[in-house]
C-alpha cells in the first residue's frame, strides 16, 4: 500500500466528540432560530385568547413551640429542631386532607366558578381520552379502586381535588417561619376565600388533632388508673401477708441483732482458738519429751516459766543454798545438815508431784479448749444459717416492698397526667396562626412575557434535541480524523464545503468560486497535491480517483487536482464514466472514441488549448463500458499517454454503483477514494473497501470533500 498499511495504522477507540454536536448547531443555527421564533409566535398569539385569572395570598406563621397560657404540656408534641418539621408542614398544606376540608367547607363541588363546565364536544372527547388512559392502568372488571373504596371519593370530589391541587401554591418565606398560601382562580372572590380557607383548615386540623388526642388520652388514662389501683392493692396485700407469715416486724433491728451475735461469737472463737493453740503447743512439747525426767522437764522454758513451778523452783534454789552454806560449817551427820537436806528433798518431791499434776492439767485444759472451740464453731455455723435465711426473707421482703413503691409512683404519675389532661381539655391550641388574610385577589394571568419565554425555551430545547438526535444517529464521516478513527486508511486532506454551490452538478473550479471561498478551497487542493507528490515514486504515474456513491465530488477533486499538478508538470485527466458524458471541461470527442480507434492521442493533443493539461472526456456513451475498459486497447492508450505526460489522473465512476472503478483500479498505480463529509455513511465506505479487497485491490488513501 502506498501510504500506510492497515497494520501500521492505529485505529482509535470511539469516544464522544462534542465538537461534532457544536458543528451541527453552528451549521443549522437558522433552523434553531426559526423553530424558536415559531414557538414564541404561537405562545404570543394564544396568550390573549386565555381567560384572565386572579391570585390571592394569605400568610401563616408556623410556630412549633407556641407560648402556652397554662403551664401544663399537651399530649401532641413536636420537635422544631428537626429540619424535616417545616417541610412536613408545607407538604401538609398541599395535602388532600386540607384540600378535602376546604372543598367541603366551601361546597366547591357545586361551585361552577371552581369546577367549570364541559359544554364542548372537544372537552367531552378529551375527558373520554383521559378516562380511557386511566382505565388502562386499572382492572377492567368494574371493580372500584382501592383508594376510592377506602375514602369514598366520588368522581366530582376527585375532580375537585385535582383542580384544587393544580391552582394551589405554597411558598415558604426564606429564613422565617412564614408561609404564603396562594390560590389562583377565574373568580377573584373565590380565590381569596380559598386562600383563607386553606390556612383556617390547616389551623383547625391541629386543633382537631389536639382534641382527639386529649380525649383518647383521657379515656385511656381512666381505664389504666383502674388497673393500676388494682395492681397496687394486690402488691400491698402480698407484702402484708408475707410479714405476717414470716413474723417480721423490723428487718433492720433483726439484722443488727444477728450481726452483733455473729461478731461476739467470732471474737470468742478467736480467743478460745488462741488459747487452744498455746495449750496445744505446750502439750505437744511435753508429749515430745515425755522420756525425760522431771528434772530435765523442768529445764524446758514452757514449764519453768509456769508460776507455780517458778515459785517452787525458787524455793528449791534457796534450800540448796542453805545446804551448801551448812556444809561449809558442819559435817554430813550434823543435825542441821540433816534437817536442811531433809527439807531440800521435801521441796524436790513436792516439785516432782507438781510437775506431774501440771502435765495432767495441761492435757485436760487442751481437751477443754478443743471442746469449747468446736461448740463455738457449731454455734457460729448455726447463726450463719439463720442469718442467711433471714437475708433471703429480707430480699423477698424488699422485692415486695419495691413493687408496692413502684405501683404507688406509677399510679401517682397517671393521676397527675389525668389532671393535666382534664385541665387542658377545653384549651384550643394550634401550631399556626394568620399574620395576613387574603383580602382581595390580583390579576395573575395570562403572563404573556412568561409564556413567550417558556415557549422560546421549549422551542430552542426541542430544536437542540432534534439536532442532537440526528447527530447521535448519524453514521456519516465528518472529518479526516474521524475517518482514520474508523478505517485503516490514510487521508490525504480535506476540501471545504461550499454551501453556495452545494446544488451545482458540475465540478467546482476557479471561475465558480468567489474571493472568500478560493483560499480555503485551493489550500485543500494544494495539500492533497503535496501529499500525493511526496508519496508517489517515479514509476507510479497513474492515479485513479473514485467515490463510494454518486455526487460526492470526485470529479471536482479530479479536475482541480489535475489543474494543480499541471502547474509543475504535464498531466492528463481522463473521465472514464462511459455511461454519461459532459463535464465542465468536456470535448466533442473522448475516451470512447479512443478505445474504438476513431480518434488518436495526437488529435486530442492538437485540439487542447490548456498548458500542460490534456483533458480526455468520456466521449459518446456506450452500452457496455466494462468491455472497453478491460480491453487491451485501454492499456495501450494509457501507455501511449505516458509518453506525452508525467501523470495520468483517471476520474472513475462510483464504485458501489458501477464495477468500472474495479477494472480501472487493476491497472492503476495509485487508487484514491473520495468521501463526502456528512453524507457518505460508514457502512457504505466499509462496503466499498470490502469490495476492492475481495478482488485483491488496495485503496491507497482517501480524500474528504465537502468538509464543514
Amino acid at each position: 500500500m502506498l501510504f500506510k498499511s492497515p497494520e501500521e495504522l492505529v485505529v482509535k477507540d470511539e469516544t464522544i466528540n462534542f465538537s461534532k454536536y457544536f458543528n451541527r448547531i453552528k451549521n443549522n443555527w437558522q433552523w434553531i432560530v426559526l423553530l424558536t421564533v415559531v414557538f414564541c409566535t404561537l405562545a404570543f398569539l394564544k396568550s390573549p385568547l386565555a381567560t384572565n385569572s386572579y391570585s390571592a395570598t394569605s400568610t401563616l406563621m408556623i410556630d412549633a413551640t407556641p407560648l402556652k397560657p397554662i403551664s401544663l404540656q399537651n399530649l401532641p408534641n413536636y420537635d422544631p429542631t428537626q429540619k424535616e418539621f417545616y417541610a412536613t408542614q408545607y407538604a401538609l398544606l398541599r395535602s388532600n386532607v386540607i384540600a378535602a376540608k376546604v372543598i367541603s367547607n366551601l361546597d366547591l363541588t357545586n361551585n361552577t366558578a371552581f369546577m367549570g363546565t364541559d359544554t364542548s364536544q372537544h372537552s367531552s372527547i378529551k375527558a373520554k381520552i383521559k378516562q380511557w388512559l386511566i382505565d388502562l392502568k386499572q382492572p377492567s372488571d368494574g371493580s372500584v379502586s382501592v383508594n376510592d373504596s377506602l375514602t369514598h371519593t366520588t368522581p366530582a370530589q376527585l375532580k375537585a381535588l385535582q383542580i384544587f391541587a393544580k391552582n394551589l401554591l405554597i411558598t415558604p418565606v426564606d429564613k422565617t417561619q412564614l408561609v404564603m398560601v396562594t390560590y389562583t382562580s377565574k373568580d377573584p372572590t373565590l380565590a381569596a376565600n380559598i386562600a383563607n380557607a386553606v390556612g383556617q383548615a390547616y389551623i383547625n386540623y391541629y386543633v382537631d388533632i389536639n382534641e382527639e388526642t386529649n380525649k383518647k388520652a383521657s379515656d385511656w388514662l381512666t381505664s389504666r388508673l383502674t388497673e393500676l389501683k388494682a395492681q397496687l392493692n394486690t402488691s400491698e396485700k402480698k407484702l402484708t401477708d408475707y410479714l405476717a407469715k414470716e413474723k417480721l416486724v423490723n428487718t433492720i433491728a433483726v439484722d443488727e441483732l444477728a450481726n452483733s451475735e455473729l461478731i461476739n461469737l467470732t471474737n470468742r472463737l478467736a480467743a478460745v482458738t488462741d488459747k487452744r493453740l498455746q495449750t496445744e503447743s505446750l502439750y505437744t512439747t511435753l508429749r515430745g519429751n515425755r522420756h525425760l525426767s522431771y528434772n530435765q522437764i523442768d529445764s524446758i522454758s514452757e514449764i519453768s516459766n509456769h508460776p507455780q513451778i517458778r515459785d517452787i523452783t525458787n524455793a528449791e534454789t534457796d534450800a540448796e543454798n542453805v545446804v551448801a552454806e551448812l556444809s561449809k560449817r558442819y559435817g554430813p551427820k550434823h543435825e542441821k545438815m540433816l534437817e536442811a537436806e531433809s527439807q531440800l528433798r521435801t521441796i524436790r518431791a513436792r516439785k516432782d508431784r507438781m510437775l506431774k499434776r501440771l502435765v495432767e492439767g495441761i492435757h485436760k485444759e487442751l481437751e477443754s479448749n478443743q471442746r469449747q472451740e468446736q461448740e463455738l464453731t457449731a454455734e457460729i455455723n448455726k447463726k450463719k444459717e439463720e442469718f442467711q435465711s433471714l437475708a433471703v426473707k429480707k430480699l423477698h421482703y424488699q422485692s415486695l416492698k419495691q413493687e408496692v413503691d413502684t405501683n404507688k409512683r406509677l399510679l401517682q404519675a397517671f393521676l397527675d397526667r389525668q389532671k393535666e389532661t382534664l385541665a387542658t381539655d377545653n384549651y384550643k391550641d394550634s401550631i399556626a396562626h394568620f399574620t395576613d388574610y387574603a383580602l382581595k385577589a390580583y390579576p395573575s394571568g395570562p403572563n404573556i412575557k412568561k409564556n413567550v419565554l417558556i415557549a422560546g425555551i421549549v422551542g430552542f430545547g426541542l430544536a437542540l434535541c432534534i439536532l442532537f438526535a440526528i447527530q447521535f444517529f448519524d453514521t456519516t464521516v465528518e472529518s479526516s480524523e474521524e475517518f482514520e478513527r474508523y478505517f485503516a486508511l490514510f487521508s490525504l486532506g480535506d476540501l471545504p464545503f461550499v454551501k453556495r454551490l452545494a446544488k451545482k452538478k458540475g465540478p467546482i473550479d476557479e471561475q465558480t468560486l468567489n474571493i472568500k471561498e478560493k483560499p480555503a478551497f485551493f489550500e485543500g487542493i494544494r495539500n492533497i497535491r503535496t501529499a500525493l507528490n511526496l508519496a508517489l515514486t517515479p514509476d507510479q504515474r497513474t492515479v485513479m480517483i473514485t467515490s463510494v456513491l454518486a455526487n460526492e465530488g470526485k470529479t471536482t477533486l479530479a479536475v482541480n487536482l489535475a489543474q494543480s499538478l499541471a502547474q509543475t508538470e504535464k498531466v492528463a485527466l481522463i473521465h472514464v464514466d462511459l455511461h454519461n458524458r459532459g463535464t465542465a471541461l468536456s470535448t466533442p470527442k473522448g475516451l470512447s472514441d479512443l478505445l474504438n480507434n476513431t480518434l488518436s492521442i495526437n488529435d486530442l493533443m492538437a485540439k487542447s488549448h490548456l498548458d500542460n493539461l490534456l483533458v480526455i472526456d468520456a466521449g459518446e456513451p456506450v452500452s457496455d463500458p466494462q468491455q472497453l475498459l478491460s480491453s487491451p486497447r485501454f492499456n495501450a492508450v494509457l501507455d501511449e499517454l505516458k509518453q506525452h505526460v508525467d501523470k495520468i489522473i483517471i476520474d472513475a465512476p462510483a464504485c458501489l454503483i458501477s464495477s468500472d472503478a474495479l477494472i480501472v483500479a487493476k491497472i492503476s498505480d495509485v487508487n484514491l477514494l473520495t468521501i463526502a463529509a456528512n453524507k457518505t455513511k460508514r457502512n457504505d465506505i466499509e462496503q466499498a473497501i470490502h469490495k476492492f479487497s475481495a478482488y485483491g485491490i488496495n485503496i491507497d488513501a482517501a480524500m474528504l470533500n465537502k468538509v464543514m
Side-chain angles (χ1 to χ4, degrees):
M1 187 169 286
L2 179 61
F3 295 92
K4 289 185 180 180
S5 64
E7 292 78 16
E8 294 172 339
L9 281 168
V10 179
V11 180
K12 304 175 184 177
D13 295 333
E14 183 175 0
T15 57
I16 298 177
N17 187 3
F18 290 101
S19 63
K20 296 175 62 176
Y21 293 90
F22 292 133
N23 290 336
R24 178 76 67 170
I25 295 173
K26 182 178 67 175
N27 297 327
N28 296 275
W29 66 270
Q30 299 95 334
W31 295 102
I32 297 175
V33 173
L34 178 61
L35 188 60
T36 304
V37 171
V38 169
F39 270 72
C40 292
T41 303
L42 292 176
F44 178 79
L45 295 176
K46 187 177 182 302
S47 294
L49 301 178
T51 304
N52 287 335
S53 58
Y54 299 88
S55 297
T57 301
S58 62
T59 305
L60 295 173
M61 187 176 79
I62 300 175
D63 188 2
T65 55
L67 295 175
K68 296 182 181 295
I70 56 177
S71 62
L72 301 178
Q73 179 184 5
N74 289 336
L75 284 175
N77 190 18
Y78 312 98
D79 187 2
T81 61
Q82 298 294 328
K83 62 180 181 180
E84 295 85 1
F85 171 77
Y86 289 102
T88 303
Q89 305 312 309
Y90 305 148
L92 182 60
L93 282 166
R94 290 188 290 265
S95 67
N96 287 337
V97 175
I98 303 300
K101 290 181 179 293
V102 175
I103 292 171
S104 176
N105 294 337
L106 299 181
D107 193 19
L108 296 179
T109 53
N110 297 320
N111 190 323
T112 56
F114 177 82
M115 298 292 291
T117 55
D118 295 333
T119 56
S120 65
Q121 184 67 19
H122 296 288
S123 299
S124 177
I125 294 174
K126 183 179 180 181
K128 289 181 179 180
I129 293 175
K130 287 184 177 180
Q131 186 61 39
W132 179 75
L133 293 174
I134 294 174
D135 293 339
L136 288 178
K137 301 180 181 179
Q138 295 179 346
S140 58
D141 56 358
S143 61
V144 182
S145 64
V146 176
N147 291 336
D148 290 349
S149 63
L150 291 177
T151 60
H152 306 287
T153 305
T154 63
Q157 291 172 336
L158 181 60
K159 180 181 178 181
L161 288 173
Q162 293 174 347
I163 296 173
F164 190 91
K166 179 181 178 181
N167 296 292
L168 179 66
L169 178 63
I170 304 299
T171 308
V173 180
D174 291 341
K175 300 180 181 180
T176 68
Q177 296 174 256
L178 300 178
V179 58
M180 295 188 297
V181 180
T182 304
Y183 192 83
T184 303
S185 175
K186 298 177 182 178
D187 185 349
T189 303
L190 181 63
N193 291 338
I194 293 178
N196 293 327
V198 170
Q200 191 60 49
Y202 173 72
I203 294 173
N204 294 339
Y205 173 78
Y206 276 100
V207 172
D208 295 341
I209 287 180
N210 286 338
E211 291 180 353
E212 183 179 358
T213 306
N214 286 336
K215 184 178 182 303
K216 290 182 179 179
S218 179
D219 295 341
W220 181 76
L221 287 172
T222 302
S223 62
R224 185 60 179 150
L225 282 172
T226 304
E227 297 176 3
L228 291 175
K229 288 178 181 178
Q231 291 179 3
L232 178 60
N233 293 333
T234 302
S235 60
E236 288 177 341
K237 188 175 183 304
K238 286 182 180 180
L239 179 61
T240 304
D241 293 344
Y242 183 74
L243 290 174
K245 178 182 176 181
E246 300 295 337
K247 298 179 181 180
L248 298 175
V249 179
N250 190 341
T251 58
I252 298 176
V254 174
D255 288 345
E256 293 178 352
L257 178 60
N259 189 39
S260 176
E261 290 181 355
L262 188 61
I263 293 173
N264 186 26
L265 289 173
T266 303
N267 293 335
R268 289 174 57 192
L269 177 62
V272 171
T273 300
D274 290 340
K275 188 175 181 181
R276 191 262 305 168
L277 290 174
Q278 293 177 1
T279 305
E280 186 176 15
S281 176
L282 180 59
Y283 182 71
T284 301
T285 302
L286 293 175
R287 282 178 58 85
N289 299 280
R290 60 176 175 263
H291 59 280
L292 302 175
S293 65
Y294 284 105
N295 291 330
Q296 293 174 328
I297 291 175
D298 185 31
S299 63
I300 299 173
S301 61
E302 288 83 351
I303 299 300
S304 62
N305 290 329
H306 194 276
Q308 292 180 354
I309 299 300
R310 188 170 57 249
D311 292 341
I312 197 167
T313 299
N314 293 333
E316 182 183 10
T317 302
D318 293 339
E320 288 177 349
N321 292 332
V322 171
V323 172
E325 213 38 63
L326 291 176
S327 62
K328 295 178 180 179
R329 289 185 284 175
Y330 304 104
K333 299 297 185 178
H334 191 273
E335 180 180 356
K336 290 185 178 181
M337 279 293 294
L338 294 174
E339 183 180 0
E341 290 177 352
S342 175
Q343 187 177 1
L344 178 60
R345 286 193 295 272
T346 301
I347 292 173
R348 286 178 176 175
R350 190 173 62 184
K351 181 180 179 181
D352 291 340
R353 290 193 299 273
M354 188 175 293
L355 287 173
K356 185 176 181 181
R357 287 196 302 271
L358 180 60
V359 171
E360 293 175 355
I362 289 173
H363 181 258
K364 291 180 180 180
E365 184 179 359
L366 176 61
E367 291 178 347
S368 176
N369 290 338
Q370 289 176 343
R371 284 194 303 271
Q372 289 181 11
E373 187 176 13
Q374 291 174 356
E375 291 174 358
L376 288 174
T377 301
E379 185 68 18
I380 288 174
N381 292 334
K382 181 180 178 181
K383 290 297 181 181
K384 285 182 178 180
E385 291 178 358
E386 292 178 358
F387 190 73
Q388 290 176 353
S389 176
L390 184 61
V392 173
K393 294 178 181 179
K394 181 183 177 182
L395 289 176
H396 190 61
Y397 167 79
Q398 290 177 345
S399 176
L400 294 175
K401 185 71 168 56
Q402 184 178 4
E403 182 179 359
V404 172
D405 294 340
T406 301
N407 289 335
K408 285 183 179 179
R409 288 195 300 270
L410 189 60
L411 179 62
Q412 186 62 43
F414 271 75
L415 286 172
D416 294 340
R417 190 59 186 158
Q418 186 186 42
K419 291 178 182 179
E420 291 180 2
T421 304
L422 294 175
T424 59
D425 184 46
N426 296 325
Y427 176 63
K428 308 297 183 181
D429 185 22
S430 180
I431 65 172
H433 63 273
F434 278 100
T435 59
D436 291 304
Y437 285 93
L439 301 179
K440 61 180 180 179
Y442 298 92
S444 59
N447 191 335
I448 298 178
K449 293 182 179 179
K450 180 180 178 180
N451 294 341
V452 171
L453 178 61
I454 293 175
I457 294 173
V458 171
F460 181 78
L462 180 61
L464 291 181
C465 291
I466 293 174
L467 290 178
F468 286 167
I470 293 174
Q471 182 62 46
F472 182 79
F473 293 103
D474 186 12
T475 60
T476 61
V477 176
E478 186 179 54
S479 63
S480 296
E481 181 183 1
E482 185 178 2
F483 175 81
E484 292 181 354
R485 185 185 300 130
Y486 290 103
F487 303 101
L489 285 178
F490 180 75
S491 176
L492 293 178
D494 300 343
L495 282 185
F497 176 67
V498 182
K499 187 175 182 180
R500 182 177 58 84
L501 303 175
K503 296 182 179 180
K504 187 177 183 297
K505 294 184 178 180
I508 300 173
D509 54 18
E510 187 173 359
Q511 286 71 29
T512 60
L513 297 172
N514 59 35
I515 297 176
K516 293 183 180 180
E517 296 167 343
K518 286 181 181 180
F521 184 83
F522 285 107
E523 181 63 26
I525 293 294
R526 285 191 293 271
N527 290 337
I528 295 174
R529 181 193 66 185
T530 302
L532 190 62
N533 284 333
L534 292 175
L536 291 178
T537 63
D539 296 334
Q540 294 174 327
R541 301 170 60 188
T542 305
V543 179
M544 184 202 72
I545 299 176
T546 184
S547 62
V548 178
L549 298 171
N551 299 322
E552 293 189 352
K554 63 176 180 58
T555 301
T556 297
L557 268 171
V559 171
N560 286 278
L561 181 59
Q563 291 177 344
S564 181
L565 290 171
Q567 295 177 3
T568 58
E569 55 187 336
K570 293 183 178 181
V571 181
L573 174 62
I574 305 176
H575 298 284
V576 298
D577 188 359
L578 301 181
H579 298 276
N580 304 292
R581 68 169 297 164
T583 65
L585 303 176
S586 61
T587 58
K589 299 291 183 177
L591 181 61
S592 59
D593 299 298
L594 285 173
L595 297 180
N596 289 323
N597 293 319
T598 59
L599 186 69
S600 65
I601 298 296
N602 294 327
D603 294 335
L604 290 176
M605 293 184 65
K607 296 178 180 180
S608 176
H609 301 288
L610 301 174
D611 295 337
N612 293 336
L613 178 61
L614 175 62
V615 179
I616 303 177
D617 198 26
E620 293 292 334
V622 296
S623 58
D624 190 3
Q626 296 178 10
Q627 182 179 1
L628 292 178
L629 294 176
S630 59
S631 64
R633 175 59 181 163
F634 184 57
N635 291 335
V637 169
L638 294 179
D639 293 338
E640 187 177 356
L641 279 173
K642 290 179 182 179
Q643 298 175 4
H644 300 281
V645 297
D646 299 314
K647 286 186 177 63
I648 300 174
I649 305 299
I650 301 176
D651 179 15
C655 59
L656 291 186
I657 296 177
S658 172
S659 298
D660 296 358
L662 296 175
I663 299 173
V664 176
K666 278 283 188 180
I667 60 177
S668 298
D669 298 325
V670 178
N671 299 316
L672 303 180
L673 184 65
T674 303
I675 307 296
N678 299 306
K679 177 181 179 182
T680 308
K681 296 182 179 180
R682 294 195 294 269
N683 290 338
D684 294 335
I685 299 173
E686 186 176 356
Q687 184 179 354
I689 296 173
H690 179 71
K691 188 174 182 180
F692 276 89
S693 299
Y695 293 99
I697 304 172
N698 289 329
I699 297 179
D700 297 284
M703 299 177 293
L704 260 73
N705 189 25
K706 303 180 181 180
V707 177
M708 295 184 181

